[in-house]
Amino acid sequence: MHHALLVGLAATTAAAGHVSIPFSRQKFSHPRAHVKRDDEPFALEALNNITGGGYYSEFAVGTPPQNISFLLDTGSSDTWVNSVDANLCNSQSQQATLGFCQTQFDPEQSDTFEMLDRGGFDITYLDTRNIQGDYFEDTVTIGDMEIKEQQLGLALRSVRTTGIMGLGFNINVAADEPYPTIVDNMVEQGFIESAAYSLYLNDLATDAGNILFGGIDRNKFVGDLAVLPLIRDATFGSTDITSFNVKIEGFDLRDPDGNRAVDLTDLKSGAILDSGSTISLLPDGQVQDLWEELGVMSFQNVIAPFIDCAYAGEKGRGYMFEFRFDGKTIRVPMDEMVIDAYADVQDLISQEPSFRDWDGACMFGIGSTGDFGIDNDQFTLLGATFLRSAYVVYDLANEQLAIAQANLNSTDSDIVEITSGKLPDVTGVDRSSANDGLNGAGADEDDDEDDAAAGIAPPAMLALTALGLLGSLMVAL
Ligand SMILES: *[C@@H]1O[C@H](CO)[C@@H](O)[C@H](O)[C@H]1NC(C)=O
Ligand SMILES: *[C@@H]1O[C@H](CO)[C@@H](O)[C@H](O)[C@H]1NC(C)=O
Ligand SMILES: *[C@@H]1O[C@H](CO)[C@@H](O)[C@H](O)[C@H]1NC(C)=O
């Protein structure tokens, strides 16, 4: 059974039609809170391209090449495009709710298009969105790489405004039989040597990061990379490695004095590093303590929790989230967890009495797995709100991740190729010359800086710029 872990911002009423998520399981952190003024849920549509909404890359499908934008998703494995015939892209009313259809693919305009399985593509993401259509194969052009005969999904019934690039393991595709993913074919067709890529999202204030296939950029992280073996994910009952799930040792929130404001050392969970998820999700039992500490509010039918926007400024200064892994702690400052997602609808949202004393309602970067119907304390999902502070090497070939604190806003590159076999032993920039966004907080125990192998000339590697755009955001309050 495949699982696709994408969690968009959308808590759409529109999606509720296909859904299996029992919203009734949602807990209120503040039972008094009452957003609904009538019994009727009402929908707020917020703006596109909010920073923090998702990371997209553009590359081409077909001959001649048709440029398409894709959400980069390490939590799923199928890459698919919206067809020009997709229902969403031909319905103004659906687009009014779900957002304007972005670039679409026209099979009739491609000489290399081959139909593989009509009606065979059917995928449902963790946020309940379901996409259906055909499987086809065609040429995919990413920079200088022309990947031939790539199997792809062609969405005909779609509820997403862009396609998705699935960066996960082929065992996890939605098809009955695994097929080679784009990353597999990059290796198979000789463009990169090993199935691995590095993801650098950069901070919330910037709208572009990058994904580097087949290489590691030493300029984009601080100190050593800690190598973490992937573990099976118990939640989905699989006996194989199917996702980027690693052991997380603990999670803390430090207050401005450096004390543990919330100490979740008993977090004994796997953590999946998922670029397709806008926010991170912790087990419900744990997240409630954290929400209480920060006055976070969560409402029925709204998947992302709310926090006082003041935490993005002075009120949050000095608070630090710490995610502890074997040999590495990744630190995320408070302002990276407070997303100004509702700027355009703030007037409307502010009418909610629970927000009366707030500077404004922002989206909080950590939600509860319980709100996605997962009642299991073994499951943690670390999405973009975590990943922006980290540099992560996704090493599919060796079933491991390597992580370090990100060196933010780095514009230089020092790229080392990932050859087959072991990951290269490389060190990033020195802490003293790094921009980790932590203002000196938490110089730490686990980065012993041994001098590692020097850089090798970069070969057939490719950096894709990931632009932070966002599909439409709907909140049903
Ligand atoms: C945001 O999206 C709208 C339309 O979707 C577009 O007109 C606008 O230029 C975009 N803004 C940025 C900063 O990309
Ligand atoms: C597709 O993108 C490439 C690279 O950005 C650009 O050179 C080309 O003109 C684009 N093609 C179309 C049809 O927009
Ligand atoms: C990165 O650059 C953006 C401007 O593009 C800036 O707002 C942000 O503060 C910078 N981040 C750090 C950690 O320096």
Side-chain angles (χ1 to χ4, degrees), residues 202-207 333 335-336 407-410 435-439:
N202 210 354
D203 68 11
L204 191 54
T206 54
D207 61 3
D335 56 2
E336 286 287 320
N407 180 27
L408 300 168
N409 288 349
S410 154
N435 180 7
D436 55 13
L438 305 180
N439 298 320

PDB file of all heavy atoms in Angstrom, residues 202-207 333 335-336 407-410 435-439, ligand 3:
ATOM      1  N   ASN A 202      16.002  27.234   2.472  1.00  0.00           N
ATOM      2  CA  ASN A 202      16.319  28.585   2.942  1.00  0.00           C
ATOM      3  C   ASN A 202      15.198  29.108   3.845  1.00  0.00           C
ATOM      4  O   ASN A 202      14.201  28.439   4.046  1.00  0.00           O
ATOM      5  CB  ASN A 202      16.596  29.521   1.770  1.00  0.00           C
ATOM      6  CG  ASN A 202      17.578  30.617   2.141  1.00  0.00           C
ATOM      7  OD1 ASN A 202      17.984  30.763   3.285  1.00  0.00           O
ATOM      8  ND2 ASN A 202      17.977  31.400   1.160  1.00  0.00           N
ATOM      9  N   ASP A 203      15.375  30.315   4.397  1.00  0.00           N
ATOM     10  CA  ASP A 203      14.448  30.707   5.467  1.00  0.00           C
ATOM     11  C   ASP A 203      13.117  31.264   4.969  1.00  0.00           C
ATOM     12  O   ASP A 203      12.901  31.449   3.778  1.00  0.00           O
ATOM     13  CB  ASP A 203      15.131  31.624   6.491  1.00  0.00           C
ATOM     14  CG  ASP A 203      15.481  32.992   5.914  1.00  0.00           C
ATOM     15  OD1 ASP A 203      15.023  33.308   4.808  1.00  0.00           O
ATOM     16  OD2 ASP A 203      16.223  33.730   6.586  1.00  0.00           O
ATOM     17  N   LEU A 204      12.234  31.505   5.920  1.00  0.00           N
ATOM     18  CA  LEU A 204      10.877  31.941   5.619  1.00  0.00           C
ATOM     19  C   LEU A 204      10.842  33.290   4.915  1.00  0.00           C
ATOM     20  O   LEU A 204       9.938  33.574   4.129  1.00  0.00           O
ATOM     21  CB  LEU A 204      10.105  32.018   6.956  1.00  0.00           C
ATOM     22  CG  LEU A 204       8.602  32.211   6.970  1.00  0.00           C
ATOM     23  CD1 LEU A 204       7.899  31.166   6.134  1.00  0.00           C
ATOM     24  CD2 LEU A 204       8.105  32.167   8.411  1.00  0.00           C
ATOM     25  N   ALA A 205      11.849  34.109   5.176  1.00  0.00           N
ATOM     26  CA  ALA A 205      11.869  35.449   4.586  1.00  0.00           C
ATOM     27  C   ALA A 205      12.250  35.421   3.106  1.00  0.00           C
ATOM     28  O   ALA A 205      12.100  36.406   2.399  1.00  0.00           O
ATOM     29  CB  ALA A 205      12.839  36.336   5.353  1.00  0.00           C
ATOM     30  N   THR A 206      12.762  34.307   2.628  1.00  0.00           N
ATOM     31  CA  THR A 206      13.181  34.237   1.227  1.00  0.00           C
ATOM     32  C   THR A 206      12.223  33.318   0.484  1.00  0.00           C
ATOM     33  O   THR A 206      11.579  32.459   1.084  1.00  0.00           O
ATOM     34  CB  THR A 206      14.599  33.657   1.104  1.00  0.00           C
ATOM     35  OG1 THR A 206      14.645  32.415   1.780  1.00  0.00           O
ATOM     36  CG2 THR A 206      15.625  34.589   1.692  1.00  0.00           C
ATOM     37  N   ASP A 207      12.114  33.488  -0.814  1.00  0.00           N
ATOM     38  CA  ASP A 207      11.142  32.667  -1.521  1.00  0.00           C
ATOM     39  C   ASP A 207      11.798  31.669  -2.472  1.00  0.00           C
ATOM     40  O   ASP A 207      11.151  31.122  -3.345  1.00  0.00           O
ATOM     41  CB  ASP A 207      10.111  33.524  -2.238  1.00  0.00           C
ATOM     42  CG  ASP A 207      10.751  34.431  -3.272  1.00  0.00           C
ATOM     43  OD1 ASP A 207      11.979  34.341  -3.450  1.00  0.00           O
ATOM     44  OD2 ASP A 207      10.017  35.216  -3.891  1.00  0.00           O
ATOM     45  N   PRO A 333      14.239  28.860  15.066  1.00  0.00           N
ATOM     46  CA  PRO A 333      13.787  30.004  15.865  1.00  0.00           C
ATOM     47  C   PRO A 333      12.292  30.227  15.720  1.00  0.00           C
ATOM     48  O   PRO A 333      11.686  29.853  14.715  1.00  0.00           O
ATOM     49  CB  PRO A 333      14.575  31.188  15.292  1.00  0.00           C
ATOM     50  CG  PRO A 333      15.105  30.748  13.980  1.00  0.00           C
ATOM     51  CD  PRO A 333      15.102  29.250  13.949  1.00  0.00           C
ATOM     52  N   ASP A 335      10.419  32.715  14.982  1.00  0.00           N
ATOM     53  CA  ASP A 335       9.838  33.451  13.852  1.00  0.00           C
ATOM     54  C   ASP A 335       9.680  32.577  12.602  1.00  0.00           C
ATOM     55  O   ASP A 335       8.922  32.916  11.700  1.00  0.00           O
ATOM     56  CB  ASP A 335      10.597  34.751  13.556  1.00  0.00           C
ATOM     57  CG  ASP A 335      12.075  34.548  13.307  1.00  0.00           C
ATOM     58  OD1 ASP A 335      12.534  33.385  13.322  1.00  0.00           O
ATOM     59  OD2 ASP A 335      12.785  35.552  13.107  1.00  0.00           O
ATOM     60  N   GLU A 336      10.383  31.446  12.549  1.00  0.00           N
ATOM     61  CA  GLU A 336      10.219  30.519  11.427  1.00  0.00           C
ATOM     62  C   GLU A 336       8.946  29.671  11.566  1.00  0.00           C
ATOM     63  O   GLU A 336       8.542  28.980  10.636  1.00  0.00           O
ATOM     64  CB  GLU A 336      11.427  29.571  11.349  1.00  0.00           C
ATOM     65  CG  GLU A 336      12.685  30.244  10.815  1.00  0.00           C
ATOM     66  CD  GLU A 336      12.610  30.518   9.314  1.00  0.00           C
ATOM     67  OE1 GLU A 336      12.093  29.667   8.566  1.00  0.00           O
ATOM     68  OE2 GLU A 336      13.058  31.603   8.896  1.00  0.00           O
ATOM     69  N   ASN A 407      22.906  26.900   6.448  1.00  0.00           N
ATOM     70  CA  ASN A 407      23.577  28.189   6.359  1.00  0.00           C
ATOM     71  C   ASN A 407      22.683  29.065   5.483  1.00  0.00           C
ATOM     72  O   ASN A 407      22.639  28.898   4.268  1.00  0.00           O
ATOM     73  CB  ASN A 407      24.963  28.008   5.732  1.00  0.00           C
ATOM     74  CG  ASN A 407      25.718  29.319   5.598  1.00  0.00           C
ATOM     75  OD1 ASN A 407      25.486  30.253   6.368  1.00  0.00           O
ATOM     76  ND2 ASN A 407      26.603  29.391   4.620  1.00  0.00           N
ATOM     77  N   LEU A 408      21.952  29.972   6.114  1.00  0.00           N
ATOM     78  CA  LEU A 408      20.880  30.670   5.400  1.00  0.00           C
ATOM     79  C   LEU A 408      21.394  31.748   4.457  1.00  0.00           C
ATOM     80  O   LEU A 408      22.455  32.329   4.666  1.00  0.00           O
ATOM     81  CB  LEU A 408      19.917  31.274   6.421  1.00  0.00           C
ATOM     82  CG  LEU A 408      19.267  30.227   7.333  1.00  0.00           C
ATOM     83  CD1 LEU A 408      18.566  30.885   8.511  1.00  0.00           C
ATOM     84  CD2 LEU A 408      18.289  29.346   6.552  1.00  0.00           C
ATOM     85  N   ASN A 409      20.625  31.983   3.423  1.00  0.00           N
ATOM     86  CA  ASN A 409      20.918  33.011   2.424  1.00  0.00           C
ATOM     87  C   ASN A 409      22.296  32.850   1.788  1.00  0.00           C
ATOM     88  O   ASN A 409      22.895  33.829   1.356  1.00  0.00           O
ATOM     89  CB  ASN A 409      20.806  34.419   3.044  1.00  0.00           C
ATOM     90  CG  ASN A 409      19.366  34.806   3.325  1.00  0.00           C
ATOM     91  OD1 ASN A 409      18.439  34.126   2.885  1.00  0.00           O
ATOM     92  ND2 ASN A 409      19.168  35.894   4.039  1.00  0.00           N
ATOM     93  N   SER A 410      22.781  31.638   1.744  1.00  0.00           N
ATOM     94  CA  SER A 410      24.080  31.401   1.123  1.00  0.00           C
ATOM     95  C   SER A 410      23.955  31.566  -0.392  1.00  0.00           C
ATOM     96  O   SER A 410      23.056  31.015  -1.019  1.00  0.00           O
ATOM     97  CB  SER A 410      24.539  29.977   1.451  1.00  0.00           C
ATOM     98  OG  SER A 410      25.416  29.503   0.461  1.00  0.00           O
ATOM     99  N   ASN A 435      25.589  31.751   8.705  1.00  0.00           N
ATOM    100  CA  ASN A 435      24.400  32.523   9.002  1.00  0.00           C
ATOM    101  C   ASN A 435      23.299  31.509   9.288  1.00  0.00           C
ATOM    102  O   ASN A 435      22.563  31.107   8.406  1.00  0.00           O
ATOM    103  CB  ASN A 435      24.053  33.395   7.799  1.00  0.00           C
ATOM    104  CG  ASN A 435      22.809  34.226   8.040  1.00  0.00           C
ATOM    105  OD1 ASN A 435      22.277  34.259   9.156  1.00  0.00           O
ATOM    106  ND2 ASN A 435      22.338  34.890   7.008  1.00  0.00           N
ATOM    107  N   ASP A 436      23.222  31.085  10.559  1.00  0.00           N
ATOM    108  CA  ASP A 436      22.246  30.045  10.874  1.00  0.00           C
ATOM    109  C   ASP A 436      20.947  30.640  11.409  1.00  0.00           C
ATOM    110  O   ASP A 436      20.023  29.914  11.756  1.00  0.00           O
ATOM    111  CB  ASP A 436      22.826  29.012  11.853  1.00  0.00           C
ATOM    112  CG  ASP A 436      23.368  29.643  13.119  1.00  0.00           C
ATOM    113  OD1 ASP A 436      23.087  30.837  13.358  1.00  0.00           O
ATOM    114  OD2 ASP A 436      24.069  28.948  13.869  1.00  0.00           O
ATOM    115  N   GLY A 437      20.874  31.973  11.493  1.00  0.00           N
ATOM    116  CA  GLY A 437      19.650  32.628  11.926  1.00  0.00           C
ATOM    117  C   GLY A 437      19.370  32.450  13.412  1.00  0.00           C
ATOM    118  O   GLY A 437      18.291  32.764  13.887  1.00  0.00           O
ATOM    119  N   LEU A 438      20.336  31.942  14.162  1.00  0.00           N
ATOM    120  CA  LEU A 438      20.080  31.621  15.573  1.00  0.00           C
ATOM    121  C   LEU A 438      20.658  32.678  16.504  1.00  0.00           C
ATOM    122  O   LEU A 438      20.520  32.581  17.717  1.00  0.00           O
ATOM    123  CB  LEU A 438      20.679  30.245  15.922  1.00  0.00           C
ATOM    124  CG  LEU A 438      20.229  29.079  15.046  1.00  0.00           C
ATOM    125  CD1 LEU A 438      20.904  27.792  15.495  1.00  0.00           C
ATOM    126  CD2 LEU A 438      18.717  28.918  15.091  1.00  0.00           C
ATOM    127  N   ASN A 439      21.308  33.686  15.962  1.00  0.00           N
ATOM    128  CA  ASN A 439      21.887  34.760  16.762  1.00  0.00           C
ATOM    129  C   ASN A 439      22.741  34.246  17.912  1.00  0.00           C
ATOM    130  O   ASN A 439      22.599  34.679  19.048  1.00  0.00           O
ATOM    131  CB  ASN A 439      20.788  35.680  17.299  1.00  0.00           C
ATOM    132  CG  ASN A 439      20.032  36.341  16.169  1.00  0.00           C
ATOM    133  OD1 ASN A 439      20.643  36.737  15.176  1.00  0.00           O
ATOM    134  ND2 ASN A 439      18.724  36.408  16.283  1.00  0.00           N
TER     135      ASN A 439
HETATM  136  C1  LIG B   3      17.723  36.197   4.363  1.00  0.00           C
HETATM  137  O1  LIG B   3      17.393  37.199   3.412  1.00  0.00           O
HETATM  138  C2  LIG B   3      16.133  37.817   3.610  1.00  0.00           C
HETATM  139  C3  LIG B   3      15.933  38.829   2.515  1.00  0.00           C
HETATM  140  O2  LIG B   3      15.938  38.239   1.287  1.00  0.00           O
HETATM  141  C4  LIG B   3      16.091  38.487   4.965  1.00  0.00           C
HETATM  142  O3  LIG B   3      14.829  39.061   5.180  1.00  0.00           O
HETATM  143  C5  LIG B   3      16.384  37.447   6.043  1.00  0.00           C
HETATM  144  O4  LIG B   3      16.429  38.087   7.301  1.00  0.00           O
HETATM  145  C6  LIG B   3      17.708  36.776   5.775  1.00  0.00           C
HETATM  146  N1  LIG B   3      17.879  35.724   6.750  1.00  0.00           N
HETATM  147  C7  LIG B   3      18.923  35.661   7.554  1.00  0.00           C
HETATM  148  C8  LIG B   3      18.936  34.547   8.546  1.00  0.00           C
HETATM  149  O5  LIG B   3      19.845  36.430   7.493  1.00  0.00           O
END
